[in-house]
Amino acid sequence: MVYKILTNYVYTGATVGHRRKSAGVGSRKSIPQDQADWIVVEGMHEAIVSKEEFEMAQEVIRGGVKKPKRNPHYYPLKGLVCCGNCKRALTRRKNRNVSGYFYQCTHSMNDRDTECPVGERYSEAWLENAAYNAIGQMLALAEKKAMKNHEISKRRKSAISECADTIRDLQKQSEQLKAVKLRLYEKYTSGSITKAEYLKRKAETDAKMSENEEAIRKGHERMQELDSEHPCSDERLNTVLGEYQRNEGLTYELAHALIDAIYVRGQDSIEIVWKFKDIFEDMEGKE
Ligand SMILES: [Zn+2]
């Protein structure tokens, strides 16, 4: 039972759903796709086993190897490599004479007018290496951004407390000015200052008070501004960064945590579609 729990991803709080595809025209039977097509929704219910515990258990069950073993069914780029032209998945095949695999667009093989690179073979080792390098660069950028965000949020916090102090001081001054006005009135009614003197000093105090009220209003405005600046959360990123630093190579988990698709455009050209698009967009927008 414990083994079952430790090997079942659902117990980590993720819900796994099978995406089913029709077996063919006229067929009512549906066939389960392989696990790459599973729909995993994390955090759907409370986890019995934490994700970390789950992963640790997997390692122990697999034999406690530090460097993740290549799982033949979960090779790193499974389901990610697509043709840059027709956008369909490339077919993965074993090399006959040399070791390793290659990818090829086989969809348009019988199509005369195709722009697809029919016959071209793209080495899996090259693609994995390129993806791994790109992940490293992406994470380095993202880490820089996270540090910057941290710096910004630190500055923001001190600006907020400074602003709060200023407002408090101004409010104290307002109270003092009210007291001044009251004393002036008392002096005037008791006859220790003339009416002209009283009116003159009252006008001065009123001017100071309205100046003060204006400063308080501006202070509140600034506070609202500071409150509306939301530094983005680094949490998601840190999880992936940890994964990257832990592993010594490209794994299925790492690739699928970050990459949506890889479009192969030529022997030395690929386009990676990231899952963390917002990180890049943000960075491009600000720098
Ligand atoms: Zn194609």
Side-chain angles (χ1 to χ4, degrees), residues 83-88 90 105-108 114 116-117:
C83 173
N85 182 56
C86 68
K87 313 286 179 211
R88 287 178 287 193
L90 293 185
C105 180
T106 52
H107 297 287
S108 315
T114 185
C116 286

Side-chain angles (χ1 to χ4, degrees), residues 233-250:
S233 144
D234 314 330
E235 219 170 280
R236 273 189 324 168
L237 197 67
N238 285 338
T239 318
V240 185
L241 262 173
E243 172 101 4
Y244 178 76
Q245 283 153 354
R246 218 174 25 249
N247 288 321
E248 289 162 41
L250 189 66

